[in-house]
Amino acid sequence: MWPKIRYCVGKWAVNVSLLETYEPGIFYDELMLPSGKPRAHSRALAEHLDAMSPTEFAQRARLAETLMMQQGITFNVYGAEGGVERAFPFDLVPRVLTAGEWETIEKGLTQRLTALNLFLWDIYHEQKILKDGVVPRALVMGAVHFRREFMGADPPGGVYVHICGTDLIRDTDGKFYVLEDNLRTPSGVSYMLENRAILARVMPQLFQDMGVRPIADYTSHLLHNLRALAPAHRSDDPTVVLLTPGVYNSAYYEHSYLAQQLGIPLVEGRDLIVEENIVSMKTTHGLKRVDVIYRRVDDDFLDPLIFRPDSQLGVAGLVNAYRAGNVALANSIGTGVADDKVIYAYVPEIIKYYLDQEVILPNVETYPAFEDKHREYILDNLDKLVVKAANESGGYGMLMGPQASLSEREVFAELVKANPRNYIAQPLIHLSRAPAFVEPGHFEGRHIDLRPFALCDRDLRVTIVPGGLTRVALRKGSYVVNSSQGGGSKDTWVLGKESRNA
């Protein structure tokens, strides 16, 4: 069905179509229908791609890679050979969402983040949802990231989560499902912004043709929200800083990028000091009071006087300064209890309890191992399930049952039996696929997910820029999209309602 493009290799004229050999397969393909025709909203993209020769596309891909390297777009891998810093792989074929699909995602994420903030306020105060038996008390009290030290504390506006990155997947039925919530220090927004900037340079005509909605105002929304968190008497011209663990953290590139884009200082714990519950930053002109901290340091390392005493990353006295209302933190302390993978199983009930609404974006079917009937099912079906530890991330602490060996499944069976509270299991979801460019010059389907980034202000209003980080499992057949496990990324295009392609 695709027009053949003639180009020359040496003295030979060759007829080639980039998409001619592309196979949508049995999965939901983001670009193509099972018939091999492009989806209506992606037709302009498919025609544009197919008008390029493999050589031209490869040249553009190499240009994009060069731009990524020149701008230092990297991530760190703990324990990697040959140094910890790597260039972040970027696939040039964008993933396209319609205005209608995005509207559902936006409503669903707003509903979810609103309910989770209400849940966090409740469990650190009256604990009504636990008294009513909607969420088992033992799960919350036994959560690794539940902070008893923070009971009764009042974050500005009662809001705990100001920045959220929720992972969405699409199954073979084409519906979106929530895979997990990231409510502590979610990463990846810098790659979303940089992917867009690079693709706009490498394929500028496509943006005009397809009516892609912009995402560039993410940082202005974020800065506005952060400044609004400042204590009332400091709100005229608050000082906002970004607190990083330092250069060896896996997301250090993102920390430095965001600080630069926000126009705020990037600081480490040693750059801050607390005196009489006031946080100050050390500068060449002396101490300068700090009002808001966008912290990318986990709770455990945030304040050695309250949490881990051996931490060199945090600031002694910071928690008391926060509790006194003299400095604001984004995100607040203790948010990790709400992205515990076992608590995730109860989010639909949490939404119903606080908002009296049915969930808009459903969870993946989940079996918490702490319940006897679910644990027995998990142990009997390890070869069919994906098993996850409650608080691991980055693709660690996970068993892909259908792809695992017998010995690997036996190891996980013992882990589940030893600590049922720490594990859930889910059926293997056949993640949707999108074309990825494979050298020397063709497209192959690769599995993807989507992490949009939601911002919540102190009045519980949610803003979500139309896009997100589409992560790609670049290894053929792999379902693991995490960058630490060989994953890359794509730009995510959300079409405007007025687009002729929507």
Side-chain angles (χ1 to χ4, degrees):
M1 62 163 290
W2 298 100
K4 301 292 182 62
I5 307 301
R6 290 182 66 82
Y7 74 106
C8 293
V9 176
K11 63 181 181 180
W12 304 102
V14 182
N15 290 326
V16 171
S17 167
L18 259 175
L19 286 167
E20 187 175 13
T21 60
Y22 181 69
E23 294 288 344
I26 62 172
F27 308 95
Y28 183 94
D29 192 275
E30 301 283 341
L31 181 71
M32 309 286 278
L33 294 164
S35 64
K37 295 181 179 179
R39 297 186 183 278
H41 64 276
S42 296
R43 183 171 295 115
L45 172 62
E47 291 173 355
H48 188 89
L49 294 174
D50 215 55
M52 276 190 278
S53 70
T55 302
E56 181 185 357
F57 193 91
Q59 288 172 341
R60 293 182 188 235
R62 282 193 284 272
L63 173 59
E65 184 178 353
T66 300
L67 292 171
M68 299 280 279
M69 292 299 294
Q70 287 176 344
Q71 296 179 39
I73 302 171
T74 60
F75 71 104
N76 290 354
V77 179
Y78 301 124
E81 295 181 0
V84 297
E85 196 170 53
R86 292 180 179 174
F88 194 64
F90 174 51
D91 186 81
L92 209 55
V93 183
R95 180 240 198 101
V96 183
L97 298 173
T98 67
E101 288 173 330
W102 181 254
E103 187 175 2
T104 301
I105 290 172
E106 193 172 36
K107 288 179 179 176
L109 294 181
T110 298
Q111 178 194 58
R112 198 171 183 94
L113 183 52
T114 302
L116 287 172
N117 265 309
L118 295 172
F119 171 69
L120 285 163
W121 170 268
D122 188 16
I123 64 169
Y124 284 111
H125 292 82
E126 297 179 65
Q127 299 189 338
K128 291 181 179 177
I129 197 168
L130 307 185
K131 294 171 184 172
D132 289 341
V134 177
V135 178
R137 177 178 293 276
L139 285 185
V140 172
M141 297 297 110
V144 171
H145 295 293
F146 178 70
R147 302 301 181 194
R148 297 176 187 277
E149 306 89 338
F150 204 59
M151 285 293 296
D154 296 331
V159 175
Y160 286 73
V161 183
H162 310 92
I163 304 109
C164 175
T166 294
D167 293 341
L168 304 176
I169 59 172
R170 183 144 47 184
D171 200 354
T172 49
D173 59 6
K175 286 179 61 177
F176 279 101
Y177 295 84
V178 175
L179 188 62
E180 65 181 42
D181 303 290
N182 296 283
L183 305 176
R184 283 170 280 172
T185 56
S187 295
V189 74
S190 61
Y191 303 118
M192 174 188 79
L193 296 169
E194 286 286 23
N195 286 353
R196 174 61 55 85
I198 288 174
L199 202 53
R201 291 182 61 182
V202 176
M203 294 186 176
Q205 188 60 44
L206 261 180
F207 283 86
Q208 183 177 342
D209 292 346
M210 297 192 63
V212 181
R213 293 177 64 184
I215 57 173
D217 56 355
Y218 173 85
T219 50
S220 62
H221 283 304
L222 175 59
L223 183 60
H224 176 271
N225 287 1
L226 290 174
R227 289 172 60 87
L229 293 176
H233 64 286
R234 301 280 302 171
S235 59
D236 288 344
D237 187 22
T239 298
V240 182
V241 302
L242 193 155
L243 176 63
T244 176
V247 297
Y248 294 106
N249 184 267
S250 62
Y252 181 74
Y253 163 77
E254 174 153 299
H255 303 163
S256 59
Y257 173 88
L258 284 176
Q260 182 187 43
Q261 295 296 310
L262 293 166
I264 63 176
L266 178 67
V267 300
E268 298 182 25
R270 60 191 176 186
D271 300 319
L272 302 179
I273 186 170
V274 179
E275 296 176 326
E276 298 182 351
N277 285 343
I278 301 294
V279 181
S280 299
M281 171 175 54
K282 302 170 188 172
T283 77
T284 53
H285 302 291
L287 295 179
K288 182 176 183 180
R289 179 164 175 172
V290 172
D291 304 297
V292 181
I293 299 176
Y294 177 17
R295 55 97 171 207
R296 299 295 294 262
V297 176
D298 288 337
D299 287 355
D300 281 342
F301 303 95
L302 199 56
D303 183 344
L305 299 183
I306 303 295
F307 302 117
R308 286 183 53 158
D310 59 336
S311 172
Q312 302 293 312
L313 304 177
V315 186
L318 179 58
V319 171
N320 283 338
Y322 183 41
R323 293 191 68 127
N326 293 329
V327 68
L329 295 176
N331 287 333
S332 184
I333 296 168
T335 59
V337 64
D339 67 18
D340 183 304
K341 291 182 176 60
V342 183
I343 301 296
Y344 153 91
Y346 291 86
V347 172
E349 287 81 3
I350 290 171
I351 290 172
K352 184 68 175 177
Y353 184 79
Y354 293 111
L355 304 179
D356 194 23
Q357 298 173 3
E358 299 300 323
V359 66
I360 296 172
L361 292 172
N363 281 11
V364 174
E365 186 175 13
T366 302
Y367 309 103
F370 84 101
E371 291 188 15
D372 293 344
K373 62 177 182 180
H374 290 320
R375 185 169 60 257
E376 291 174 11
Y377 178 77
I378 293 169
L379 294 173
D380 289 342
N381 294 276
L382 280 173
D383 59 334
K384 304 179 183 68
L385 299 172
V386 179
V387 184
K388 300 176 181 177
N391 294 290
E392 293 285 358
S393 60
Y396 298 102
M398 182 170 71
L399 175 80
M400 299 289 287
Q403 300 172 355
S405 66
L406 177 60
S407 60
E408 289 171 329
R409 293 198 292 270
E410 289 175 345
V411 169
F412 259 76
E414 294 306 314
L415 291 172
V416 170
K417 292 176 190 174
N419 187 5
R421 164 60 182 82
N422 195 46
Y423 290 94
I424 63 164
Q426 297 169 326
L428 178 64
I429 301 298
H430 297 289
L431 308 184
S432 64
R433 296 199 320 188
F437 185 65
V438 177
E439 294 285 4
H442 65 284
F443 292 144
E444 290 182 2
R446 293 291 186 269
H447 294 291
I448 60 175
D449 76 351
L450 174 65
R451 177 177 291 181
F453 295 92
L455 301 176
C456 189
D457 70 11
R458 63 179 298 158
D459 296 317
L460 215 54
R461 291 176 300 217
V462 177
T463 302
I464 309 172
V465 296
L469 181 69
T470 289
R471 299 186 299 177
V472 188
L474 289 175
R475 282 198 289 264
K476 189 172 185 176
S478 174
Y479 285 81
V480 184
V481 299
N482 306 84
S483 55
S484 55
Q485 307 290 323
S489 70
K490 288 176 172 289
D491 194 10
T492 307
W493 290 2
V494 177
L495 303 183
K497 290 181 180 177
E498 69 281 6
S499 170
R500 64 182 174 86
N501 298 295

